[in-house]
């Protein structure tokens, strides 16, 4: 079950993600309260050409954590009133994306890999694929569907 009541509903980079390094390499860890929600789906984007745009849709209920596992991507989130720009430049950058955000990811380095942890399974009815439909949904007070 999502913990919307306990999490801030604004996008933000997590600043409390522990990382451990030694001569063998680095280990990043996300667990417990850092996850902000129960994970129901994991997917990743890769082999995306430089300059290509992914996303360009909104979600009504879905929460996400985006992690740039390799490379660099520019993420622009929009709540219908304000834009929130972020640059994810490695696995230490973890972006929380609350529900009700239009998203756009621009891939700016070769071989970039972005992993997404999602609070819900794929549900076509949760997606808003047209920006005008997203804005209409926002103006209507963001009614949620179960």
């Amino acid at each position: 079950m999502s913990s919307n009541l306990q999490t801030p509903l604004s996008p933000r980079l997590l600043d409390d993600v522990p990382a451990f390094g030694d001569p063998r390499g680095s280990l990043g860890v996300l667990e417990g309260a850092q996850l902000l929600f129960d994970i129901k789906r994991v997917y990743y984007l890769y082999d995306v050409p430089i300059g290509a745009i992914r996303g360009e849709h909104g979600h009504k209920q879905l929460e996400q954590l985006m992690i740039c596992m390799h490379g660099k991507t520019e993420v622009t989130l929009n709540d219908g009133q304000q834009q929130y720009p972020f640059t994810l430049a490695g696995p230490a950058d973890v972006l929380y994306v609350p529900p009700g955000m239009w998203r756009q990811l621009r891939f700016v380095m070769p071989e970039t890999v972005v992993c997404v942890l999602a609070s819900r399974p794929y549900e076509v009815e949760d997606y808003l694929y047209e920006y005008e439909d997203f804005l209409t949904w926002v103006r209507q007070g963001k009614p949620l569907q179960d």
Side-chain angles (χ1 to χ4, degrees):
M1 171 182 252
S2 181
S3 58
N4 284 340
L5 297 176
Q6 297 174 353
T7 59
L9 293 180
S10 60
R12 63 184 172 95
L13 287 171
L14 302 186
D15 58 5
D16 57 349
V17 178
F20 305 94
D22 64 29
R24 301 169 296 162
S26 299
L27 171 71
V29 178
L30 284 171
E31 62 185 12
Q34 294 165 314
L35 292 174
L36 303 175
F37 52 81
D38 293 336
I39 298 168
K40 301 295 185 191
R41 182 168 65 128
V42 176
Y43 64 93
Y44 40 94
L45 305 163
Y46 63 100
D47 288 341
V48 180
I50 296 173
I53 304 293
R54 296 294 309 249
E56 295 193 299
H57 62 268
H59 287 284
K60 298 173 186 175
Q61 297 183 46
L62 186 75
E63 294 176 87
Q64 297 175 319
L65 290 174
M66 292 184 181
I67 307 166
C68 185
M69 302 306 289
H70 179 76
K72 184 176 180 179
T73 188
E74 296 169 346
V75 180
T76 303
L77 302 175
N78 180 326
D79 63 7
Q81 297 178 5
Q82 181 176 345
Q83 288 198 19
Y84 303 87
F86 297 93
T87 298
L88 304 180
D93 295 336
V94 179
L95 176 62
Y96 171 66
V97 181
M101 289 282 159
W102 185 265
R103 78 256 359 263
Q104 180 183 68
L105 290 80
R106 183 173 168 270
F107 286 68
V108 296
M109 284 184 66
E111 301 180 12
T112 294
V113 178
V114 176
C115 180
V116 180
L117 312 177
S119 66
R120 302 174 69 90
Y122 174 78
E123 300 165 315
V124 69
E125 63 276 3
D126 188 59
Y127 282 74
L128 294 158
Y129 286 109
E130 299 296 329
Y131 187 65
E132 289 304 317
D133 293 342
F134 172 75
L135 291 177
T136 298
W137 177 75
V138 168
R139 282 188 222 105
Q140 293 173 348
K142 297 182 178 182
L144 299 178
Q145 297 177 358
D146 290 327

